[in-house]
Amino acid sequence: MVAQQHRRRGGTMAVAATVMGVMAATGCSGGGAVADEGDGGGTVDEVVRAADALERARSSRARTAMEMATGGTRVTIRGDGGYDFARRTGRLTVVLPPDPAGADEHEPITELLTPGALYMKNRGAGVPADKWVRVDTAALDDGNLVTGGATDPLAAAELLRGAEQVTFVGETEVEGERVRHFRGTTDIGRAARAARPHARAALAAAAKGFADRAVPFDVYLDDAGLLRKVRHRFTFANEGRAVAVTSTTVLFDFGEPVEVRLPAQEDIYTGKVEV
């Protein structure tokens, strides 16, 4: 899959842009990935309904990993936190990879995930340490599927509403739970049309921003239909280089309370964010 170069509208800056700078220091180029094809039979509906099952579960802990690869270089952004699926809000602590040029390691970034907006604290790049940066996810060419360095867990599930060519791979375990592994592709445009209102605008932006809307995925569901793990594989162009992105979300400890408190207006930075 190849996507158009992501533009940062409105002067906003992204976590993934920092990683692009890290990778650019190595001067690499690369390619992408394609999902297996096959007859999904009755498995498609279960995958499509994954977001609905999460909302019924109300909340969970979450662990994320976003691996970006170009040429022979791979860097990984890791996140840890929780998500309230009933309120559609989440909180992650995102850790950026070290700079291969030898610069100091980046401080962890706190991200608050909400319908329509991403809030980041300790963003750096000229932003005061005690201030938050607010990003309108519908104004991002990728709908924040990649930009924030972690795919919003509920958005990752909503993206599955466009699933097709789903096959059952087999049974395995995730976090000690028996799960069923499915593989297929999802169409971002179809997912945007089928998504709940809270996710529709961001996915619609992504459908326009990616040149190829087909996204290969692997998803792992437990016996109750709860999404325990999902991996999406994106490919986009960054300054003429093909960048393959694998975004993985693991969910566990369902029902665990998750507190998300949005910053006050005076705590949101409105100045210029440097690259």
Side-chain angles (χ1 to χ4, degrees), residues 14 18 22 42 59 97 121 154 228:
T18 298
V22 170
S59 64
K121 191 174 185 180
L154 189 53
R228 296 286 182 157

Side-chain angles (χ1 to χ4, degrees), residues 19-272:
V19 178
M20 288 296 100
V22 170
M23 297 180 71
T26 64
C28 303
S29 61
V34 180
D36 295 340
E37 295 185 359
D39 180 10
T43 64
V44 176
D45 289 343
E46 190 171 10
V47 171
V48 167
R49 294 194 300 267
D52 298 330
L54 288 181
E55 292 192 19
R56 290 193 296 270
R58 301 195 64 82
S59 64
S60 79
R61 297 287 300 168
R63 186 168 59 247
T64 67
M66 184 170 286
E67 182 182 80
M68 299 187 177
T70 180
T73 298
R74 294 178 183 272
V75 295
T76 302
I77 308 171
R78 301 192 183 278
D80 184 78
Y83 204 97
D84 188 320
F85 300 105
R87 293 184 173 88
R88 302 176 183 123
T89 58
R91 182 184 181 97
L92 294 173
T93 299
V94 176
V95 179
L96 298 175
D99 188 333
D104 293 338
E105 292 189 4
H106 303 281
E107 292 294 325
I109 298 171
T110 300
E111 293 191 356
L112 304 181
L113 308 167
T114 71
L118 166 67
Y119 297 83
M120 294 181 287
K121 191 174 185 180
N122 200 21
R123 174 61 189 85
V127 180
D130 62 340
K131 294 293 185 180
W132 293 82
V133 173
R134 182 188 185 279
V135 178
D136 180 0
T137 53
L140 296 170
D141 284 357
D142 72 330
N144 195 36
L145 293 177
V146 173
T147 291
T151 304
D152 180 310
L154 189 53
E158 289 283 353
L159 185 55
L160 295 173
R161 293 191 190 276
E164 57 186 358
Q165 299 178 349
V166 179
T167 60
F168 174 65
V169 178
E171 293 188 352
T172 185
E173 286 192 359
V174 172
E175 299 292 320
E177 297 288 336
R178 188 175 70 89
V179 295
R180 289 160 297 136
H181 177 192
F182 301 96
R183 178 174 293 150
T185 60
T186 186
D187 181 274
I188 303 176
R190 182 183 296 112
R193 293 189 294 272
R196 295 288 185 89
H198 65 85
R200 198 169 295 155
L203 288 178
K208 295 178 181 178
F210 284 87
D212 188 340
R213 303 185 305 190
V215 179
F217 67 82
D218 286 86
V219 64
Y220 302 78
L221 305 177
D222 66 15
D223 289 339
L226 285 175
L227 190 155
R228 296 286 182 157
K229 180 179 178 180
V230 61
R231 179 182 296 115
H232 292 103
R233 294 183 294 281
F234 305 94
T235 305
F236 64 89
N238 183 68
E239 297 181 353
R241 298 188 180 97
V243 181
V245 179
T246 301
S247 178
T248 304
T249 301
V250 178
L251 303 177
F252 54 99
D253 289 348
F254 285 89
E256 184 78 14
V258 177
E259 181 179 356
V260 179
R261 183 175 299 177
L262 298 184
Q265 188 62 40
E266 58 267 24
D267 293 329
I268 298 175
Y269 182 68
T270 57
K272 181 180 179 180

